[in-house]
């Protein structure tokens, strides 16, 4: 990897040092071929390495490896009122077991949801973004999360541009005020990912041309945002169950960049 500067939200960041470059190369060996699946048609990404996301319980590392997945996207948020998800939040012992098995970890925050016992997080405005970022950072670091790794924040709804401008964008500004844009990522449909990148509220991957966008197939009209680093291709629903790993059904995400925000690349 060349030692060239890279830019974050229009501002120049530090050049990648030789030490960082060597660490980056070593970490990539655990996910060989991650960069082979460039963003394109959803069918083209099927051969990409995959990460699973789930909330019901902590799935043993050996079961994740046996199913052929490269790692997990795990929550740095707690369960909503009235629920008790065993994988929310990720814990230090569980994270250590995953790392010991050679699996990678990516952090995601989601507390509320549409129609849930807590409202969608993105509706909570600037102050809500500040509070959510503080909670996410506390749980991320308590589990051993890398200090320079991004945390993805979920917009788990089909919002329009007005809702983005008036609700989600102020929420992300609040998140940025705590974490900085470079440590902020977004989960959502294609338009949400594009708006977040255009408004400079998410950071950039070390993979050229990629940003911290975890795109879901939902609300994406069969398209993949070329700058996305993750694509949620399989979404577990009652009518369309996801694959079973460790006794529970999971969502499956294609890795579209060598650097998708995994902890071991961002100490």
């Amino acid at each position: 990897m060349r030692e060239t500067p890279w830019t974050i939200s229009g501002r120049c960041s530090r050049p990648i040092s030789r030490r960082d470059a060597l660490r980056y190369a070593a970490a990539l060996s655990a996910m060989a071929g991650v960069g082979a699946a460039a963003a394109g048609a959803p069918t083209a990404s099927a051969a990409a390495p995959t990460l699973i996301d789930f909330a019901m319980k902590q799935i043993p590392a050996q079961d994740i490896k046996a199913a052929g997945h490269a790692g997990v996207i795990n929550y740095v948020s707690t369960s909503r009122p009235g629920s008790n998800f065993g994988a929310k939040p990720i814990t230090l012992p569980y994270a250590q077991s995953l790392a010991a098995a050679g699996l990678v970890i990516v952090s995601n925050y989601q507390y509320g949801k549409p129609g849930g016992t807590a409202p969608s997080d993105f509706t909570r405005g600037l102050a809500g973004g500040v509070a959510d970022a503080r909670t996410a950072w506390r749980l991320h670091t308590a589990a051993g999360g890398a200090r320079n790794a991004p945390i993805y924040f979920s917009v788990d709804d089909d919002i329009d541009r007005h809702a983005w401008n008036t609700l989600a964008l102020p929420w992300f500004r609040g998140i940025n005020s705590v974490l900085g844009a470079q440590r902020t990522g977004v989960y959502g449909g294609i338009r949400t990912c594009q708006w977040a990148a255009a408004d400079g509220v998410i950071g950039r991957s070390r993979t050229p041309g990629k940003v911290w966008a975890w795109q879901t197939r939902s609300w994406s009209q069969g398209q993949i945002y070329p700058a996305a680093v993750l694509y949620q291709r399989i979404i577990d629903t009652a009518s369309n169950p996801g694959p079973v790993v460790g006794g529970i059904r999971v969502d499956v995400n294609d890795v579209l960049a060598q650097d998708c925000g995994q902890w071991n690349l961002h100490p």
Side-chain angles (χ1 to χ4, degrees):
M1 181 173 177
R2 292 181 300 164
E3 297 181 11
T4 53
W6 44 296
T7 7
I8 308 303
S9 301
R11 297 187 299 273
C12 185
S13 183
R14 65 176 178 84
I16 300 174
S17 68
R18 177 174 175 80
R19 179 181 176 185
D20 285 345
L22 291 173
R23 180 186 292 118
Y24 181 52
L28 294 182
S29 66
M31 294 175 70
V34 164
T43 53
S45 65
T50 51
L51 306 181
I52 57 173
D53 67 276
F54 50 91
M56 191 61 63
K57 70 172 188 176
Q58 295 178 343
I59 302 174
Q62 62 268 26
D63 292 342
I64 297 171
K65 287 197 76 169
H69 301 292
V72 305
I73 305 168
N74 223 150
Y75 289 99
V76 289
S77 50
T78 57
S79 298
R80 293 180 292 278
S83 62
N84 184 24
F85 294 114
K88 296 181 72 172
I90 188 171
T91 62
L92 179 59
Y94 184 55
Q96 290 173 331
S97 74
L98 295 171
L103 298 171
V104 302
I105 305 169
V106 173
S107 289
N108 168 242
Y109 180 91
Q110 183 176 3
Y111 179 69
K113 66 174 294 185
T117 54
S120 296
D121 302 326
F122 73 87
T123 66
R124 290 169 20 83
L126 183 75
V130 170
D132 291 343
R134 288 173 176 167
T135 298
W137 185 243
R138 175 175 56 82
L139 295 173
H140 171 87
T141 54
R147 292 196 165 266
N148 293 305
I151 298 173
Y152 291 84
F153 289 82
S154 298
V155 179
D156 197 8
D157 206 347
D158 186 17
I159 65 172
D160 59 18
R161 188 59 187 259
H162 178 73
W164 169 261
N165 288 338
T166 59
L167 296 173
L169 184 56
W171 181 61
F172 273 99
R173 298 287 189 212
I175 293 165
N176 289 170
S177 73
V178 176
L179 299 181
Q182 178 53 24
R183 289 187 298 182
T184 303
V186 63
Y187 165 92
I190 188 169
R191 294 184 304 170
T192 295
C193 292
Q194 291 169 326
W195 296 331
D199 286 331
V201 293
I202 57 175
R204 292 187 178 274
S205 164
R206 290 180 180 178
T207 301
K210 298 289 190 174
V211 297
W212 301 139
W214 172 18
Q215 182 191 341
T216 176
R217 187 189 67 195
S218 300
W219 321 305
S220 292
Q221 300 82 47
Q223 303 174 58
I224 294 181
Y225 178 38
V229 292
L230 292 163
Y231 179 70
Q232 191 179 55
R233 176 169 48 88
I234 298 176
I235 304 166
D236 174 53
T237 64
S239 59
N240 188 26
V244 174
V245 180
I248 65 168
R249 299 199 308 259
V250 301
D251 300 332
V252 179
N253 306 272
D254 294 328
V255 179
L256 304 181
Q258 291 179 317
D259 177 9
C260 62
Q262 58 266 50
W263 291 4
N264 57 328
L265 281 189
H266 299 275

